[in-house]
């Protein structure tokens, strides 16, 4: 098949291009090379058709779709951004870009889509109260965060909650601009599928890490920020108390999930979108991840700061049962081995130098430490 990969020069996209070509597919890449993720020109594997253009450019998208059998849509602005002033940029890149791409696919007759979504569409994860069963905590309160009360209580009785794995049928509850745009992308894909008879898989990535992450950028994931700090000889700064639970999944496993979804979409009914969590299934705290990375790198030891971001959630970890059973996907890279590799792996140049080291304090508008994917 000829596969169009939007954002194919990015962190996940570049690994996906490698996996696709290795599986014998022809690959075409469309990437705007936004400065926040690309301070230097990316490498271009032999045999890949490269198109330097924005996914919002209708003419460029139409040209990139000619002869294409399927699309892997990875192009997006990621992370929580700096503050709400970033909202127009996120909506423009993520939602308008997706709308232009889907309109082009409808016109070109391309009916297979794999969409890079995110676990951030869920908001807080799954929680159980000993008295009230499964509950959904409300928004986190500044007063609680300022006082160091980071765990969300039961919204009915105030009792401590036990976090659990989230499956794809959980209600969605995006709690920041980036999360809202990712859910909107899923809704746009569903509208496209119904209108055209297309089929789509929405891959809800959890915390993706691995070689080639962009460094020194406020839009990177938390693993990249910690790795950037270590590369600069600084201690990783861990927000809250470090007890936030996440699912850290290696980028090569994410690329493999995209390959499985490309085949799997053919088995879906026409006009449908199927969501799949992409995670290792092994929750770890942010503090554990920072410690493992620092230990493998040889220090410095992480510092737990008590700082917070109001747009972050406390716990969000995945059940990847659907992806395993329906698409026969399995993660291959374990946490310890993946962190050891990542600690020594090169990072790509990201945004402006020093962007990820700006000061963050309680109540401030921090520029770093997004916990999403």
């Amino acid at each position: 098949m000829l596969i169009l990969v939007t954002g194919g020069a990015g962190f996940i996209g570049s690994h996906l291009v490698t996996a696709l070509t290795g599986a014998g597919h022809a690959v075409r890449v469309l990437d705007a090379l936004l400065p926040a993720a690309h301070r230097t020109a990316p490498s271009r594997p032999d045999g890949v058709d490269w198109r330097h253009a924005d996914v919002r450019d209708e003419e460029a998208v139409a040209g990139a779709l000619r002869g294409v059998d399927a699309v892997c849509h990875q192009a997006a602005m990621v992370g929580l951004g700096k503050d709400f002033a970033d909202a127009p940029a996120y909506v423009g890149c993520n939602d308008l870009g997706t709308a232009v791409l889907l309109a082009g696919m409808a016109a070109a007759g391309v009916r297979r889509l794999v969409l890079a979504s995110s676990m951030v569409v869920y908001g807080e994860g799954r929680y159980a109260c000993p008295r009230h069963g499964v509950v959904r905590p409300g928004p986190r309160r500044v007063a609680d965060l300022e006082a160091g009360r980071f765990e969300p209580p039961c919204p009915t009785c105030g009792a401590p909650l036990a976090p659990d794995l989230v499956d794809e049928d959980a209600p969605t509850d995006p709690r920041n601009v980036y999360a809202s745009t990712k859910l909107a992308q899923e809704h746009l894909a569903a509208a496209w599928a119904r209108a055209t008879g297309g089929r789509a898989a929405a891959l809800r990535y959890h915390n993706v890490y691995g070689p080639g992450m962009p460094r020194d950028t406020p839009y990177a994931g938390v693993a990249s920020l910690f790795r950037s700090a270590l590369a600069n000889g600084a201690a990783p700064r861990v927000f809250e108390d470090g007890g936030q639970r996440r699912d850290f999944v290696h980028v090569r496993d994410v690329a493999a999930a995209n390959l499985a979804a490309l085949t799997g979409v053919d088995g879906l009914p026409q006009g449908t979108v199927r969501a799949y969590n992409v995670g290792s299934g092994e929750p770890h705290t942010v503090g554990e991840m920072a410690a493992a990375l620092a230990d493998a790198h040889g220090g410095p030891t992480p510092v737990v700061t008590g700082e917070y971001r109001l747009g972050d959630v406390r716990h969000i970890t995945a059940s990847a049962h659907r992806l395993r059973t329906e698409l026969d996907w399995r993660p291959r890279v374990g946490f310890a081995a993946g962190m050891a590799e990542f600690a020594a792996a090169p990072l790509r140049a990201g945004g402006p130098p020093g962007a990820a080291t700006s000061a963050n304090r309680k109540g401030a508008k921090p520029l770093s430490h997004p916990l999403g994917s």
Side-chain angles (χ1 to χ4, degrees), residues 12-141:
I12 296 174
S14 60
H15 282 272
L16 175 55
V17 168
T18 298
L20 287 168
T21 56
H25 294 292
V27 177
R28 180 176 294 153
V29 168
L30 181 74
D31 200 300
L33 300 179
L34 297 178
H38 303 280
R39 198 188 312 156
T40 59
S43 61
R44 301 186 178 190
D46 293 339
V48 173
D49 179 5
W50 286 81
R51 310 287 178 97
H52 182 188
D54 196 301
V55 75
R56 292 167 289 188
D57 182 332
E58 295 181 17
E59 184 176 350
V61 167
L65 285 167
R66 291 192 185 102
V68 162
D69 298 296
V71 174
C72 288
H73 183 31
Q74 309 291 317
M77 282 186 67
V78 300
L80 297 187
K82 298 177 181 179
D83 54 40
F84 200 81
D86 281 336
Y90 274 90
V91 172
C93 283
N94 297 356
D95 298 338
L96 176 58
T98 299
V100 171
L101 174 67
L102 293 172
M105 291 175 65
V110 181
R111 299 294 181 259
R112 296 188 190 98
L113 171 67
V114 178
L115 171 67
S117 186
S118 173
M119 55 85 174
V120 295
V121 302
Y122 297 116
E124 286 286 353
R126 178 184 172 94
Y127 294 86
C129 171
R131 290 180 57 192
H132 298 99
V134 175
V135 297
R136 293 188 62 78
R140 304 173 85 187
R141 301 189 309 166

Side-chain angles (χ1 to χ4, degrees), residues 119 122 125-126 163-170 202-206 245-249 275-283 316-326 329 331:
M119 55 85 174
Y122 297 116
R126 178 184 172 94
D164 200 355
L165 301 181
V166 177
D167 63 27
E168 293 86 350
D169 293 326
L203 301 185
R204 292 173 175 171
Y205 299 158
H206 282 248
R245 287 161 53 99
R246 296 292 187 271
D247 187 313
F248 298 98
V249 58
Y276 295 93
N277 287 333
V278 182
S280 70
E282 298 180 4
I316 176 69
T317 55
S319 167
H321 178 75
R322 178 181 292 180
L323 186 60
R324 289 170 179 256
T325 57
E326 294 185 8
W329 171 89

Side-chain angles (χ1 to χ4, degrees), residues 140-151 226 236-244 286-287 302-310 312 314 360-364 366 369 371:
R140 304 173 85 187
R141 301 189 309 166
V142 171
D144 289 336
L145 298 172
E146 290 280 0
R149 294 188 294 269
F150 301 119
E151 294 289 344
F226 290 167
R237 296 177 63 81
V238 180
F239 278 20
E240 301 185 16
D241 59 2
Q244 311 94 302
V286 172
V303 175
V304 178
T305 68
E307 297 163 359
Y308 63 86
R309 288 172 63 103
L310 193 59
D312 281 336
R314 179 61 176 175
N360 292 281
R361 293 293 180 265
K362 294 182 180 180
H369 211 305
L371 297 182

